[in-house]
Every structure is written in structure tokens, then in C-alpha cells.
Amino acid sequence: MEAVTALDTCATVQPDEGKVAATRDRLVTPEEAARLADLFRLLGDQTRAQLLYALLEAGEMCVCDLTETVEVSDTAVSHALRLLRTAGIVAGRRSGRMIYYRLADAHVRMLLDLSREHLRHEIVTG
């Protein structure tokens, strides 16, 4: 009787050493992987995601505008912005007693644009 192999395992136990070595040389370091995991965990919250897309669309907003836009409490918005600011994802500009928040740089903008495009692609091809 022939052994049955699971669909998600290799049919042979012989790895392609060249491919493994080339890939390993380009792999992220464990430290980079940890930072990436932290970044995606930070972005993996619905409220924070909505805040980021609001800033992507508006460019710059204060807490009260963000609160009204995403329909959550000002405490929740302030807490989310504190986390995002600490992580370097958003930046603030003070004008008197007001602070206006914006995406920190073009990389954050690209990440959000690509993520949304990926979601839309999944819906169309899904």
C-alpha cells in the first residue's frame, strides 16, 4: 500500500540547497521580523486602521475631527494616536493648544495604499 502525503508537505525530503541559501541570505533578521510583527499588530486594530485612513484622505486632522469622523470616543482616539505617534506612524503639529495629526511619511502612505489595493484585488478576484 502506498503512503499518503499531506497536501502541505514536500513530496521529497531533499531541499533545494541553492534556493534555501539564496533565500536565507535575503531573509529579514529576527530583530527586523520582530519589528515587522509589532508594526502589523499595531495596524491590526480597527480603530487605528480607520484613523490612519482618515489621515490618509484628509492629510491632517485634530482629535475632535478624528473622533467625529471614525465615531469613537476622544479617549479612544487619543490613546490610538499616542500608540501610533510613539511607533513613528503618525506625527503631530502643534498650533496653539491644538495638535494636528498626519501620517509620518510617504512609506506609511504607500503601506496603506497597497493594503487597500490588496483588499480590493481580493474582492474582485476572490
Side-chain angles (χ1 to χ4, degrees):
M1 180 178 220
E2 190 174 318
V4 177
T5 305
L7 293 176
D8 59 351
T9 61
C10 293
T12 66
V13 195
Q14 187 64 35
D16 181 335
E17 295 297 332
K19 187 179 280 187
V20 170
T23 303
R24 194 173 281 150
D25 288 343
R26 293 188 309 266
L27 202 59
V28 295
T29 65
E31 293 80 18
E32 288 171 319
R35 290 180 60 207
L36 279 168
D38 288 343
L39 172 65
F40 282 110
R41 224 181 337 270
L42 188 62
L43 298 177
D45 174 83
Q46 182 178 340
T47 299
R48 291 190 293 259
Q50 287 183 303
L51 291 171
L52 290 172
Y53 278 101
L55 293 174
L56 177 68
E57 296 302 325
E60 191 176 72
M61 297 178 90
C62 66
V63 171
C64 59
D65 290 342
L66 285 165
T67 297
E68 189 70 23
T69 301
V70 300
E71 298 176 328
V72 297
S73 71
D74 58 345
T75 305
V77 169
S78 293
H79 177 69
L81 288 170
R82 188 175 326 107
L83 292 172
L84 294 167
R85 190 178 62 241
T86 301
I89 296 172
V90 300
R93 175 183 64 83
R94 183 175 290 280
S95 177
R97 295 184 63 205
M98 298 287 291
I99 299 178
Y100 294 91
Y101 292 91
R102 67 185 182 286
L103 299 179
D105 60 32
H107 296 111
V108 175
R109 199 170 281 284
M110 268 192 338
L111 180 62
L112 294 172
D113 283 338
L114 285 172
S115 298
R116 182 179 257 173
E117 186 63 29
H118 177 68
L119 289 175
R120 289 179 177 160
H121 174 76
E122 277 186 344
I123 291 169
V124 171
T125 61

